Amino acid sequence: MEDKNEIKGQFIGDTESAKQILSARQLTVLAILIPLFIYAWFYKPDTAFVCFNFFATFFYLVFMLYKVSLIISAGSRSSPIRVSKEELDALVDEQLPVYTILVPLYKETEVLRQIVSSIQKIDYPPDKMDIKFLLEADDRETIEACKKILLPPSFQIVMMPEGIPRTKPRACNLGLSLAKGRYTVIFDAEDIPEPDQLKKSVIGFGKSSDNVICIQAKLNFYNQRQNLLTRWFTLEYSMWFDLYLPALGSIDAPIPLGGTSNHFRTDKLKELGGWDAFNVTEDCDLGIRLYRCGYRTLMLDSTTWEEACSNLRYWLPQRSRWVKGYIQTYLVHLKHPFLLLTQMGIGKVCHFHLLIGGMFFSLLINPFYWLLLSIWVLIRWQLMSAFFPPVIFMMGAICLLLGNFTFIYTSALGAAHRGYYDLVKYAFLIPFYWVIMSMGAWKGFIQLIARPFYWEKTKHGFFQTGIKKSEN
Amino acid sequence: MKTEKPDFTEQCLLFSGVFTLFIVLARYSSSYTGYITEDLAVRTGQFLDLVFRNPGIKQSIIGSIWFPPLPVIIRAPFALLPFTVNPSFLNNIVSSFFGAGTVLLFNHFIKAWHWDRLSRTFLLFLIVFNPFLLFISITGTDLSVFTFFFTGTVGYFLLWLKDDEMRHFTSMVFFISLMAITKVEGLFYGIILIFSIAVMLFCKKYNYSKKESYLLLSLSPVLYLLFIWSLFNWFIFGDWLYFIRGVPFHISRLSFPETFFAGTLFSLRDIFHYIYIIGAVSLFSGIFKKRISLIFLFFFIIAVPFSVFFTEPDGGYNSVFSLIPVIPVGLFMLLENTSCFCCFKKEGSIKKTRMFLLILLLLSYLFPAPLNIIRREIAGQKKSSVSSEFIQYIREFSTGNRIIVTGYKGYILTYYTGKKDNILHVFDFYTENIYRVKEPSFLLVAEPSAGKDWDGIYSRYKGIDNQGADFTLLEKKIPLWKIYRLIILK
């Protein structure tokens, strides 16, 4: 009988894993800092606040400049691997390697047909595709649905054994251990990859140096115009996958992988130990981990279409999981900060701090500064002047006035760059989206303490259900 | 046509070389010849007001009633270091920095048109030693900053028209936005550019969404930065529309050509400089579609007489001669596109054309200089010491809530406010002494056009004495090339 509490599907050590989020050293540092902070807050509140304010404002300024520099890099350098039609035509089917496709599925009956159809449409010899649907043993609905639609022979169902943690990366790890392909890719249940993506990836690997072990395709949404939330979400994704990530690739910085459409050299991925089953953003963690081991990720100029979560009720848990995962990743890689520095170098460590740490930190402190601004605008609380000495005031003014607009504008640019011209105007409403992002971030932060490994499942199929309803 | 990949080493070398040259010349000229402009004082003062929110000292300058925020923000980090503010070192840094930046931009645009290295080097040499660029880069006015953004705007605008690439479009928007908050002329250029973009979008075969998004992308930063401009006024003066409702504006209305309407026309004239360039380019080029070419040709035909008509007779920088720094931009475009004409399709004609244009550029050096030369000894003939007179005046009248207006022409006085303690620091560049003046509530330094009726101006404004207007200056036009002699030999 399977032990339900036995750890399965985890191939990396605890020190590299989010299983133990904080090391003893980190706990000691926190044990010193937190009481100190509380003491300062109660006994010297003004000084404590000015110090915090300086740190936060300086962070905002650096973060803004960092993002702007990434946008400039995105505009001036071309980093995604581009594959021409001639190169694709020159490929001979017989010479193509076996490609493993891992599709973790959990309660995904609404989109099951769609993923089967999408994979069938992939332009790759069926006998060279090693497709594995990774199902949880207790997920009766999906198992039944798989049986009903009579999967083609190239599709293999792999049942996950009982054990912990019950996460997507654990399923992927177990799938990886069975992978036969030279390359492996992950697709989510609701994904629709571009049909030539596997071939492009094969060419991409062929063009790249040996240390490139991962190629990340761009992600975007097929239901971008469903409602305001999906429009905002699309703006965010377009900015992230079309501007920021290619820019990171162009400057040889670590790339936090997207949750799907990551193409790997299978042997290297196995060598790395696969994904961290305890990390709820295992993709981001893997991107950093492979970089630390001297490997590189490149972006591929091919898109996988996903379903944007169109319901705030489900969107918030998804966001909270992402933020929780980013915090996990940040803390895990800072267990040995000097080792990190040695492995990545000072410049890339700065990237790590800004990209991973900056992302969640900005989301967490934003509400605080919105509140301060509101108080100042509404009641002109004069005491606030004391908290903003000239240098902080100047930095804060720049962040408030230029930083916010810069982020709004880059969202608009991302949409225009993608060709979603009709979405550009929605970028000017995106500050409201930041508010719900921060709500999600706080939820994730609180959950990190209360339920660190809990996987907030993203519900898919709203779009398909909507279409079916409208058809009926 | 793709632009070449930027060569980082070349750019660094070029920038540092030109910057060093400018800063050395700037320090030499400002400390030896006494060419110091008031921009330093005004911008630094505005910054200190903004940051330290000093309620006592409010200062402005009639020439800067529009109160553009960018020059202040640029100087902000330096203004926290007093040794850079005095005596004008900060201004030297800023103007030299942006002067070198302008050269870098020129280099970028020339490269985009695939000039060979030798021609490029020669042209860059001419640009660096272009008297106008040299002058504004070493004398510390905001013109240097403005020229940088203007050059980028025009260059990227034409690159966008040529290549229709998003990155050129966004670069252009970036430059327009910053140009619009650097000087009031930039604001008008910005408006006309947005109009031009709208025309372009109308003519391009884009779908509605694309046209709408491009218009939004170009319009939003400019509008937002104008909002910041207003906010900037509010921060310092507590009035969003201070630049329209404030005291300096009313005074400037009197000092500017008679009415505000005339002042607006004055600015409109500058707009035509831009159209003039674009018109000239489109006239000679085959890059635009016929319809767009015709639109610009139309503007070009109107622009020429307007430019001439509104040209300031004294040759100040707000004249047609401000075209000089942008001439090279026009030349690049012209040069490359002359090949579209059949008469230039012969082999070797491009080289000849280049030579012709370079000669033209050299000849432009003989244009009258946009300088108002002040000779110390002549300035002092009427008053034994201009600056001591001024300081005496401030000492006498600066206490309490008075408004002090002092008028002068040219680059003769510089000063800056102190921090926090409501003390005005006056820097006398003759003696290099700094004087402290307690609690002046308001200081306006007028920069009127030549020969205005100052007594009349002051008497029209309640509570203002006319004693500060007593400066005698000598105004003289000299050919631009003489600036070298002035800098090196004086």
Side-chain angles (χ1 to χ4, degrees):
Chain A
M1 184 151 175
E2 301 269 7
D3 181 357
K4 283 187 179 177
N5 294 319
E6 189 186 345
I7 296 172
K8 283 182 182 163
Q10 173 76 323
F11 305 117
I12 58 172
D14 285 357
T15 50
E16 289 179 280
S17 163
K19 186 185 168 201
Q20 184 197 24
I21 296 173
L22 291 169
S23 65
R25 200 183 306 163
Q26 283 172 316
L27 279 170
T28 316
V29 172
L30 277 182
I32 296 166
L33 281 181
I34 291 173
L36 209 67
F37 186 73
I38 294 169
Y39 174 82
W41 206 256
F42 281 101
Y43 290 92
K44 282 272 181 193
D46 46 350
T47 315
F49 188 82
V50 169
C51 290
F52 171 78
N53 207 9
F54 177 80
F55 172 71
T57 318
F58 183 70
F59 157 76
Y60 271 129
L61 189 66
V62 174
F63 193 56
M64 178 188 86
L65 294 174
Y66 175 67
K67 289 283 182 85
V68 170
S69 69
L70 283 183
I71 296 288
I72 293 168
S73 298
S76 59
R77 305 169 198 221
S78 58
S79 86
I81 300 169
R82 292 180 200 283
V83 179
S84 66
K85 191 174 177 302
E86 291 72 31
E87 285 174 299
L88 283 171
D89 292 343
L91 281 179
V92 182
D93 281 1
E94 288 70 36
Q95 289 172 0
L96 287 170
V98 174
Y99 219 115
T100 297
I101 299 175
L102 300 179
V103 187
L105 296 169
Y106 187 64
K107 299 194 189 299
E108 300 284 9
T109 49
E110 290 89 351
V111 287
L112 188 63
R113 282 182 191 281
Q114 179 182 289
I115 183 70
V116 173
S117 150
S118 303
I119 292 176
Q120 282 180 315
K121 282 179 189 160
I122 289 178
D123 177 21
Y124 208 81
D127 58 319
K128 299 262 172 106
M129 286 203 283
D130 166 33
I131 305 156
K132 295 188 194 307
F133 276 12
L134 312 172
L135 305 182
E136 296 289 339
D138 64 347
D139 184 11
R140 292 279 150 221
E141 299 159 33
T142 316
I143 295 168
E144 288 303 319
C146 282
K147 281 179 187 166
K148 269 186 199 165
I149 58 172
L150 295 172
L151 293 173
S154 53
F155 287 65
Q156 183 192 353
I157 290 179
V158 180
M159 303 298 286
M160 294 299 110
E162 294 273 11
I164 56 166
R166 293 279 299 277
T167 57
K168 173 183 158 187
R170 181 187 86 122
C172 289
N173 281 338
L174 292 167
L176 179 68
S177 61
L178 305 170
K180 297 174 207 156
R182 189 193 302 170
Y183 303 117
T184 298
V185 62
I186 311 291
F187 287 132
D188 275 351
E190 83 282 14
D191 284 1
I192 305 178
E194 281 180 0
D196 55 4
Q197 193 175 105
L198 296 196
K199 284 188 173 175
K200 279 186 173 176
S201 163
V202 171
I203 296 170
F205 276 118
K207 281 181 176 179
S208 316
S209 56
D210 286 344
N211 69 341
V212 174
I213 65 158
C214 178
I215 287 180
Q216 167 75 59
K218 292 176 179 176
L219 305 182
N220 219 293
F221 299 123
Y222 48 70
N223 62 329
Q224 67 273 71
R225 293 171 186 88
Q226 191 181 342
N227 58 29
L228 190 59
L229 185 63
T230 61
R231 286 186 173 98
W232 283 336
F233 207 169
T234 309
L235 288 170
E236 186 195 2
Y237 252 46
S238 302
M239 187 172 68
W240 185 250
F241 285 97
D242 290 79
L243 297 178
Y244 287 148
L245 292 194
L248 288 171
S250 72
I251 53 176
D252 192 31
I255 293 181
L257 303 178
T260 166
S261 304
N262 334 118
H263 302 254
F264 296 97
R265 293 184 199 272
T266 310
D267 55 339
K268 298 290 179 191
L269 183 58
K270 284 180 178 172
E271 190 185 293
L272 278 171
W275 295 266
D276 177 6
F278 287 89
N279 194 314
V280 291
T281 51
E282 76 296 342
D283 36 17
C284 167
D285 170 75
L286 181 59
I288 306 297
R289 191 147 44 85
L290 68 86
Y291 192 92
R292 290 180 69 174
C293 294
Y295 297 122
R296 294 292 176 266
T297 303
L298 287 182
M299 293 297 292
L300 181 68
D301 193 21
S302 170
T303 303
T304 295
W305 303 96
E306 296 192 291
E307 184 191 348
C309 193
S310 54
N311 189 324
L312 190 62
R313 197 176 138 201
Y314 296 103
W315 182 93
L316 272 176
Q318 185 188 46
R319 182 61 49 150
S320 71
R321 175 168 62 80
W322 289 356
V323 173
K324 184 169 75 174
Y326 264 62
I327 304 175
Q328 281 180 335
T329 306
Y330 187 69
L331 294 173
V332 164
H333 289 276
L334 280 183
K335 280 179 185 172
H336 301 285
F338 293 107
L339 181 66
L340 183 78
L341 192 67
T342 322
Q343 288 172 329
M344 293 173 88
I346 191 155
K348 301 304 186 277
V349 166
C350 292
H351 277 287
F352 168 77
H353 284 298
L354 288 167
L355 207 62
I356 311 297
M359 193 279 258
F360 70 79
F361 185 66
S362 60
L363 288 176
L364 290 174
I365 59 169
N366 277 347
F368 176 68
Y369 280 94
W370 292 331
L371 183 71
L372 276 186
L373 182 68
S374 308
I375 291 171
W376 189 72
V377 169
L378 292 173
I379 60 169
R380 298 287 168 84
W381 189 26
Q382 288 305 312
L383 187 63
M384 219 176 280
S385 302
F387 299 146
F388 285 87
V391 175
I392 300 177
F393 174 76
M394 198 63 199
M395 288 195 301
I398 290 171
C399 295
L400 174 71
L401 299 174
L402 296 181
N404 285 310
F405 184 78
T406 305
F407 289 128
I408 292 171
Y409 196 75
T410 48
S411 301
L413 270 186
H417 191 266
R418 213 342 119 171
Y420 294 155
Y421 298 110
D422 59 322
L423 296 189
V424 165
K425 51 182 170 289
Y426 293 98
F428 296 95
L429 297 173
I430 214 162
F432 297 107
Y433 184 66
W434 298 343
V435 174
I436 55 173
M437 279 170 86
S438 281
M439 284 162 63
W442 272 101
K443 186 171 185 279
F445 181 66
I446 293 163
Q447 212 178 62
L448 179 76
I449 301 160
R451 300 172 78 185
F453 312 120
Y454 176 65
W455 187 283
E456 291 263 28
K457 171 86 178 73
T458 308
K459 190 162 172 54
H460 299 120
F462 292 110
F463 188 58
Q464 287 80 356
T465 315
I467 289 171
K468 277 177 198 163
K469 274 183 189 168
S470 63
E471 280 170 359
N472 292 334
Chain B
M1 198 187 298
K2 293 268 177 193
T3 47
E4 284 178 29
K5 272 191 174 179
D7 181 345
F8 190 66
T9 318
E10 179 190 294
Q11 286 176 339
C12 280
L13 280 174
L14 182 67
F15 182 83
S16 49
V18 176
F19 177 72
T20 310
L21 175 78
F22 283 164
I23 197 94
V24 167
L25 285 175
R27 287 310 299 150
Y28 180 79
S29 65
S30 61
S31 61
Y32 185 74
T33 66
Y35 278 106
I36 298 171
T37 66
E38 75 295 334
D39 277 16
L40 165 77
V42 176
R43 307 303 181 207
T44 311
Q46 287 168 359
F47 164 74
L48 295 171
D49 284 340
L50 177 68
V51 174
F52 295 100
R53 279 165 283 166
N54 190 329
I57 297 170
K58 301 284 183 194
Q59 63 165 337
S60 179
I61 175 170
I62 287 182
S64 298
I65 50 156
W66 297 93
F67 230 48
L70 190 69
V72 179
I73 293 166
I74 287 168
R75 286 168 172 86
F78 295 105
L80 293 169
L81 310 167
F83 69 90
T84 64
V85 179
N86 174 38
S88 200
F89 187 45
L90 163 59
N91 254 18
N92 295 151
I93 293 171
V94 171
S95 67
S96 302
F97 184 88
F98 283 93
T102 306
V103 175
L104 209 64
L105 276 176
F106 275 126
N107 183 42
H108 175 68
F109 295 133
I110 305 167
K111 276 183 116 176
W113 263 265
H114 302 289
W115 280 49
D116 60 77
R117 190 176 284 268
L118 189 67
S119 316
R120 195 147 48 93
T121 312
F122 184 57
L123 190 61
L124 280 179
F125 179 82
L126 289 181
I127 290 165
V128 170
F129 289 98
N130 176 310
F132 188 91
L133 188 64
L134 188 68
F135 174 70
I136 61 173
S137 301
I138 66 172
T139 44
T141 62
D142 289 338
L143 264 180
S144 165
V145 185
F146 176 71
T147 305
F148 173 75
F149 291 117
F150 182 78
T151 307
T153 299
V154 175
Y156 280 112
F157 182 64
L158 291 165
L159 277 179
W160 173 60
L161 292 181
K162 188 165 77 73
D163 295 343
D164 197 14
E165 282 189 25
M166 184 86 192
R167 63 199 176 108
H168 294 322
F169 179 81
T170 46
S171 303
M172 173 191 70
V173 171
F174 171 79
F175 279 99
I176 297 175
S177 311
L178 296 183
M179 179 183 74
I181 56 164
T182 305
K183 279 183 84 71
V184 71
E185 293 94 320
L187 179 60
F188 286 102
Y189 285 135
I191 291 167
I192 199 76
L193 260 170
I194 299 294
F195 170 73
S196 307
I197 290 166
V199 172
M200 291 291 160
L201 292 172
F202 174 74
C203 297
K204 278 181 185 283
K205 283 181 183 169
Y206 290 166
N207 59 28
Y208 174 76
S209 300
K210 193 169 178 181
K211 284 178 184 178
E212 180 198 63
S213 67
Y214 268 61
L215 202 58
L216 270 176
L217 285 170
S218 53
L219 201 58
S220 58
V222 177
L223 288 179
Y224 182 72
L225 289 169
L226 288 180
F227 159 73
I228 288 189
W229 195 325
S230 276
L231 194 66
F232 186 74
N233 274 248
W234 177 69
F235 259 122
I236 299 177
F237 295 104
D239 184 353
W240 292 86
L241 297 172
Y242 179 80
F243 56 87
I244 292 172
R245 295 198 289 229
V247 173
F249 180 76
H250 294 297
I251 293 176
S252 78
R253 275 179 57 189
L254 301 168
S255 69
F256 259 65
E258 299 307 320
T259 61
F260 174 63
F261 181 67
T264 311
L265 276 181
F266 188 71
S267 306
L268 273 174
R269 184 211 63 212
D270 289 342
I271 295 166
F272 285 105
H273 293 172
Y274 158 71
I275 300 170
Y276 186 86
I277 291 284
I278 301 292
V281 173
S282 62
L283 180 68
F284 288 103
S285 74
I287 55 173
F288 307 129
K289 286 172 191 167
K290 263 189 184 170
R291 191 153 47 141
I292 302 173
S293 287
L294 279 174
I295 290 167
F296 279 111
L297 188 61
F298 174 72
F299 279 118
F300 174 68
I301 291 164
I302 299 175
V304 176
F306 263 81
S307 286
V308 173
F309 182 72
F310 283 107
T311 299
E312 201 178 6
D314 69 350
Y317 64 75
N318 280 322
S319 77
V320 77
F321 303 114
S322 57
L323 279 177
I324 291 171
V326 296
I327 278 175
V329 178
L331 292 184
F332 309 145
M333 316 303 156
L334 205 67
L335 175 66
E336 200 54 40
N337 294 297
T338 45
S339 57
C340 300
F341 285 90
C342 51
C343 59
F344 289 109
K345 277 183 180 167
K346 285 179 192 170
E347 208 163 308
S349 64
I350 287 283
K351 272 189 182 173
K352 281 179 195 165
T353 319
R354 283 180 182 180
M355 283 311 297
F356 169 72
L357 292 172
L358 290 177
I359 291 166
L360 209 68
L361 185 61
L362 278 170
L363 285 174
S364 73
Y365 284 30
L366 299 174
F367 278 108
L371 305 176
N372 300 301
I373 304 302
I374 303 150
R375 284 198 186 149
R376 189 185 310 175
E377 65 273 18
I378 295 175
Q381 273 177 3
K382 199 166 179 179
K383 300 281 174 191
S384 54
S385 166
V386 172
S387 49
S388 63
E389 186 78 12
F390 171 67
I391 288 153
Q392 182 60 36
Y393 172 76
I394 288 178
R395 277 182 181 154
E396 214 170 307
F397 294 100
S398 62
T399 50
N401 292 322
R402 280 176 175 275
I403 296 174
I404 304 162
V405 179
T406 175
Y408 69 100
K409 173 72 179 172
Y411 316 109
I412 193 161
L413 290 170
T414 189
Y415 59 88
Y416 67 100
T417 59
K419 299 175 187 175
K420 294 175 183 174
D421 50 0
N422 285 2
I423 289 176
L424 176 73
H425 291 241
V426 179
F427 173 64
D428 173 4
F429 71 85
Y430 286 143
T431 60
E432 296 198 339
N433 291 327
I434 294 175
Y435 297 85
R436 288 156 62 92
V437 186
K438 278 188 181 173
E439 295 186 350
S441 62
F442 221 103
L443 177 68
L444 295 175
V445 178
E447 188 192 22
S449 296
K452 294 296 165 194
D453 175 15
W454 279 99
D455 288 346
I457 290 168
Y458 297 145
S459 60
R460 273 187 250 177
Y461 190 75
K462 191 185 168 190
I464 295 179
D465 304 287
N466 63 3
Q467 296 184 36
D470 242 357
F471 294 97
T472 306
L473 312 165
L474 178 68
E475 188 181 318
K476 189 182 174 186
K477 280 185 194 176
I478 58 163
L480 272 174
W481 61 268
K482 281 193 181 175
I483 193 172
Y484 304 117
R485 204 189 68 176
L486 201 73
I487 293 163
I488 298 160
L489 301 177
K490 189 175 176 188

